[in-house]
Amino acid sequence: MFLFIQTRFFKAMSFVLMVLALGACSSAPPPLEPTFEQNWRGNTVKGKVAIIPDGKQALAERIRMVEQAEEYVLLEYFSWDNDLSGANLYQALIDASLRGVEIKLILDDLLVFNNPWIRELAAQDNFEIKIFNPFASRKIGWFGRMFDFQFNKRRLNYRLHEKLLLVDGNTMITGGRNIGDSYFGYSEKANFFDLDIKLKGAALAQFEDNFYQLYHSEHLVDAQELLGKPKQAKPSRFASDYQKLKLARPEVQAEIANSVSQQSDLDYHQVQLTPVFDELDKLADKKAYFRVRLQRELDRQVPQIRSLLVSTPYLMPNANGYNALQAYADKGSELTVITASRAGSDSAFVDAYYSQYREDLVDLTEQLLEYQPLREKADKTKHYFHAKVLIANDSCSYVGSSNFDPRSDHLNMEFGLLICGESLATELHNYLVADMQQKYWQVIRDQQGQVQWRRGAEVKTKPPGTTSLSRSIDKV
């Protein structure tokens, strides 16, 4: 319960202020010596990977995996909403724990507060929940957290952004999706365009090792220690809330149940997998372990990059601008960049910052695409871009949790996979660019050198989804 946040306006403003604070990554990250991580080598193994593009199928796959679990389930997420999607996956985990399956869940603390669902679940047998880098303020919502953050910014600026569901050491899902209706296409307010991958093979052992390295670290606190234990005499808050959610949206609950009952029809690709992880030392030195490791591994496996597609919702330069992209362009790589437009972004702050550098990207890339899907007038749901993908030479791809921005480089714990296989790269590419004119504006320069936005025959000279007021505010 947020004791002092009683209006939507105040909650919204508090959230904006927190996002601004958290988004304010150091403009001058620690300098990296040229030899930084040069001896790091990924462990490349064979495996099978399937893309899960559809959000509703992505939730069903997760629930189905938990229902089939026999020994253990490991999970890591940045956010987990108390909505119908979140409740259905929690119920599947409760059912698994009751039949003896060991559940271990790691959540970042930014959105946890004193969540009664988590307090109850953590008290269940066979159900362990740990919270990453918790705030001291727990009872007065964003108001208290803003003050907590200001006094403890050095520590609290670090967040866990990894996303993982791993079952019995043989199957896992990772990618860009957190847990909530908006990630699985069930929200009436806003849904994300995103993707996950489901994989099998020896790579899972590396993810399991990385999970336990974090799980046993000083950066996690047991949820029961942090939130306390539920009172035994009280009826289950989770069960009551879950029932209310189902009664409020019976058609959605029926669709979720129907999706889970259907057989999976995923197409697996035989590929070479190289997991890439961050380092816990990042939580002290801010060094870009994950980004440098990924780039070095990509350059080793694809020494001559002719074409490079980068897809990210947050495309913010570091202190040296878009130097990584510039380096590939200087070597002759044709660059395609896909990111969010103002209307297709869930963060006005990120778009305001990105807009200052848009023209640099127009000149640097062969193609710059900004997401804003066409929709019927009756469709009041917002649509946001969230896909984090890289494709080199239509043969090797990256899928993971990391955005291409300074926060992911220096402050968030991230991981992902470098996946080499032409058929998978082709499917990823097709998913991103299919119905291109329905999804994206192409940003180009006209004959006079002015930036414009084109979609088929439609041309705009100002960023779509903006107003003169919003553009003025962006310049502040």
Side-chain angles (χ1 to χ4, degrees):
M1 182 73 69
F2 299 164
L3 300 181
F4 298 139
I5 300 180
Q6 298 181 0
T7 69
R8 291 183 179 181
F9 173 79
F10 191 80
K11 285 197 287 185
M13 290 305 296
S14 299
F15 179 76
V16 168
L17 290 171
M18 177 63 79
V19 170
L20 285 173
L22 291 177
C25 176
S26 171
S27 58
L32 296 179
E33 57 275 15
T35 58
F36 179 67
E37 292 296 283
Q38 70 173 6
N39 295 322
W40 186 85
R41 294 289 188 275
N43 182 9
T44 302
V45 295
K46 293 180 180 180
K48 298 194 299 182
V49 172
I51 300 172
I52 314 176
D54 180 73
K56 295 176 180 180
Q57 185 179 19
L59 176 60
E61 289 290 337
R62 285 169 166 82
I63 294 174
R64 194 181 299 115
M65 283 173 58
V66 173
E67 289 180 344
Q68 295 171 354
E70 297 179 355
E71 298 179 16
Y72 61 89
V73 180
L74 309 180
L75 307 100
E76 283 183 71
Y77 284 99
F78 172 69
S79 67
W80 193 308
D81 295 340
N82 282 18
D83 55 21
L84 200 51
S85 295
N88 271 276
L89 186 51
Y90 271 145
Q91 185 62 58
L93 290 167
I94 291 171
D95 293 342
S97 70
L98 291 174
R99 63 176 188 270
V101 177
E102 295 288 339
I103 310 297
K104 289 181 170 60
L105 168 62
I106 301 174
L107 288 173
D108 185 83
D109 190 47
L110 184 61
L111 303 175
V112 168
F113 296 96
N114 273 7
N115 189 318
W117 291 11
I118 294 175
R119 184 187 293 114
E120 282 188 16
L121 270 61
Q124 299 266 344
D125 291 339
N126 304 316
F127 208 130
E128 297 179 10
I129 302 177
K130 292 191 177 184
I131 307 299
F132 177 84
N133 198 14
F135 285 71
S137 176
R138 309 217 63 82
K139 295 184 178 180
I140 55 174
W142 288 110
F143 184 82
R145 292 208 163 187
M146 285 189 294
F147 283 97
D148 192 356
F149 178 80
Q150 289 304 316
F151 286 105
N152 299 284
K153 186 183 299 184
R154 184 183 299 272
R155 176 179 68 84
L156 293 175
N157 218 356
Y158 295 107
R159 305 312 328 160
L160 179 70
H161 202 237
E162 299 168 352
K163 299 155 179 67
L164 169 75
L165 189 155
L166 192 155
V167 174
D168 292 343
N170 55 41
T171 312
M172 67 171 272
I173 290 177
T174 190
R177 292 186 176 106
N178 293 296
I179 306 300
D181 287 347
S182 59
Y183 293 96
F184 300 121
Y186 288 117
S187 174
E188 296 175 316
K189 296 180 179 179
N191 289 305
F192 289 100
F193 176 79
D194 208 339
L195 63 88
D196 292 307
I197 54 173
K198 187 175 181 180
L199 59 149
K200 301 178 180 181
L204 274 66
Q206 298 180 52
F207 280 91
E208 195 162 325
D209 289 345
N210 183 75
F211 178 92
Y212 279 109
Q213 183 182 10
L214 177 61
Y215 197 77
H216 295 302
S217 76
E218 62 182 331
H219 306 290
L220 300 185
V221 176
D222 187 273
Q224 291 194 77
E225 177 184 337
L226 192 66
L227 307 179
K229 297 182 179 180
K231 295 180 179 179
Q232 297 296 326
K234 281 194 171 184
S236 169
R237 171 71 176 272
F238 170 76
S240 173
D241 288 350
Y242 185 25
Q243 184 64 21
K244 291 176 183 176
L245 287 167
K246 289 189 290 185
L247 291 173
R249 303 182 71 192
E251 72 290 346
V252 174
Q253 179 61 31
E255 186 174 359
I256 292 173
N258 183 58
S259 296
V260 173
S261 67
Q262 295 177 357
Q263 291 297 314
S264 172
D265 57 354
L266 298 176
D267 294 323
Y268 283 90
H269 303 262
Q270 297 286 345
V271 294
Q272 296 285 333
L273 294 165
T274 308
V276 182
F277 302 102
D278 238 326
E279 192 71 41
L280 287 176
D281 289 345
K282 182 181 189 175
L283 302 177
D285 61 27
K286 289 188 179 181
K287 291 186 177 181
Y289 292 93
F290 174 82
R291 194 248 311 155
V292 172
R293 288 172 176 179
L294 177 63
Q295 187 170 340
R296 290 192 184 279
E297 193 64 34
L298 177 65
D299 291 344
R300 274 193 287 268
Q301 296 198 29
V302 191
Q304 293 184 328
I305 296 180
R306 301 181 303 278
S307 64
L308 184 66
L309 182 151
V310 176
S311 167
T312 178
Y314 309 141
L315 189 60
M316 300 171 67
N318 58 29
N320 300 311
Y322 294 110
N323 58 330
L325 291 177
Q326 184 69 61
Y328 286 116
D330 291 344
K331 294 176 184 178
S333 303
E334 291 189 358
L335 303 179
T336 296
V337 171
I338 305 175
T339 191
S341 68
R342 178 59 170 265
S345 175
D346 65 330
S347 172
F349 165 76
V350 170
D351 182 77
Y353 195 78
Y354 157 75
S355 66
Q356 302 174 44
Y357 298 89
R358 179 185 283 114
E359 293 196 20
D360 295 343
L361 281 170
V362 172
D363 298 333
L364 189 61
T365 60
E366 293 293 320
Q367 193 172 44
L368 175 60
L369 303 174
E370 294 184 356
Y371 179 80
Q372 186 189 10
L374 293 173
R375 55 182 181 172
E376 300 293 333
K377 289 185 178 180
D379 181 8
K380 302 302 182 183
T381 305
K382 295 179 180 179
H383 298 271
Y384 296 139
F385 191 72
H386 205 250
K388 314 164 202 305
V389 178
L390 183 153
I391 305 172
N393 289 0
D394 297 321
S395 61
C396 286
S397 312
Y398 156 80
V399 176
S401 65
S402 176
N403 297 302
F404 295 87
D405 67 351
R407 165 158 283 284
S408 285
D409 288 352
H410 301 287
L411 297 173
N412 289 345
M413 292 297 293
E414 309 281 6
F415 61 43
L417 288 131
L418 185 60
I419 311 166
C420 288
E422 291 186 5
S423 62
L424 179 86
T426 298
E427 187 179 349
L428 277 172
H429 183 274
N430 291 343
Y431 171 65
L432 290 171
V433 303
D435 302 319
M436 193 162 69
Q437 290 190 10
Q438 297 292 315
K439 293 201 292 267
Y440 305 110
W441 291 95
Q442 184 172 3
V443 192
I444 63 172
R445 288 193 186 275
D446 62 18
Q447 292 182 344
Q448 287 72 44
Q450 299 300 307
V451 171
Q452 61 180 215
W453 287 256
R454 288 187 178 179
R455 192 200 318 249
E458 188 176 4
V459 178
K460 291 183 178 290
T461 58
K462 301 296 182 183
T466 67
T467 63
S468 57
L469 177 60
S470 68
R471 291 192 295 273
S472 297
I473 293 173
D474 289 350
K475 294 177 182 178
V476 176

